């Protein structure tokens, strides 16, 4: 059974995390949500990361402000894939040596999709669902294009 961990640096990050929660639920992926701070609860954060694999997690999403330290601390203590979601704030950078995949600011939904894509490497059913969602997104854009063309391309050129 697939399971993604969503770790927030603060409960104030919940509005961003909810985007990942909704997307994971849409894909039928199990998840757990936690609040651990790289700065205020470092021991708990490290313990969670070190035990994540044995606790059944397949990938982790770290959501926090500033320099994505939370995702970096998590990544430094697990070999699971870690996806950092920087929350809109001043970004100060991240140290080299511990890779952390990072999506755009406040991009928790994209983090969930990336986590699903990682899981889909070995889950054909999930891979097909992701493909279906991409096709649906493509069709939606093409439909919007069609409506715009009908409205705006009949005029003077």
């Amino acid at each position: 059974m697939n399971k993604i961990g969503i770790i927030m640096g603060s409960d104030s990050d919940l509005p961003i995390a909810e985007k990942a929660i909704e997307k994971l639920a849409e894909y039928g992926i199990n998840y757990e949500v936690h609040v651990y701070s790289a700065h205020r609860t470092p021991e708990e954060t490290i313990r969670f990361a070190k035990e994540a694999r044995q606790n059944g997690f397949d990938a982790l999403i770290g959501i926090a402000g500033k320099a994505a330290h939370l995702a970096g601390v998590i990544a430094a203590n697990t070999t699971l894939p870690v996806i950092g979601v920087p929350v809109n704030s001043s970004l100060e950078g991240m140290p080299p040596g511990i890779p952390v995949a990072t999506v755009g600011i406040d991009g928790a939904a994209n983090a969930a999709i990336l986590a699903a894509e990682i899981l889909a490497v070995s889950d054909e059913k999930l891979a097909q669902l992701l493909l279906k969602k991409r096709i649906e997104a493509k069709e939606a854009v093409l439909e919007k294009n069609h409506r715009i063309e009908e409205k705006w391309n009949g005029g003077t050129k």
Side-chain angles (χ1 to χ4, degrees):
M1 182 180 327
N2 294 330
K3 184 167 70 168
I4 304 297
I6 300 170
I7 303 92
M8 301 176 291
S10 167
D11 62 348
S12 65
D13 299 324
L14 186 57
I16 303 304
E18 286 175 338
K19 297 172 186 176
I21 293 165
E22 291 167 6
K23 194 59 69 175
L24 292 172
E26 180 181 330
Y27 290 124
I29 297 171
N30 295 311
Y31 58 86
E32 285 185 15
V33 183
H34 300 274
V35 175
Y36 293 119
S37 169
H39 302 101
R40 296 178 301 264
T41 60
E43 294 88 3
E44 291 83 356
T45 303
I46 290 167
R47 184 174 57 249
F48 178 87
K50 286 184 175 182
E51 297 173 356
R53 183 180 299 277
Q54 71 190 44
N55 287 330
F57 291 97
D58 298 292
L60 303 171
I61 298 172
I63 302 173
K66 300 292 181 192
H69 288 132
L70 178 60
V73 168
I74 293 168
N77 289 283
T78 186
T79 57
L80 292 173
V82 176
I83 303 162
V85 180
V87 176
N88 195 2
S89 64
S90 63
L91 298 176
E92 299 164 0
M94 207 178 319
I98 305 295
V100 176
T102 303
V103 297
I105 293 173
D106 297 342
N110 275 343
I113 294 167
L114 180 56
E117 290 175 345
I118 291 167
L119 296 176
V121 168
S122 61
D123 183 335
E124 186 59 32
K125 183 177 177 183
L126 184 55
Q128 290 302 313
L129 178 57
L130 286 163
L131 179 60
K132 178 180 181 248
K133 294 290 185 181
R134 286 198 179 191
I135 291 169
E136 288 171 357
K138 174 184 174 180
E139 290 171 351
V141 169
L142 292 175
E143 175 58 32
K144 290 175 185 179
N145 177 62
H146 178 71
R147 286 195 307 266
I148 294 293
E149 286 178 348
E150 281 186 336
K151 181 173 182 177
W152 297 102
N153 290 350
T156 306
K157 297 185 184 194

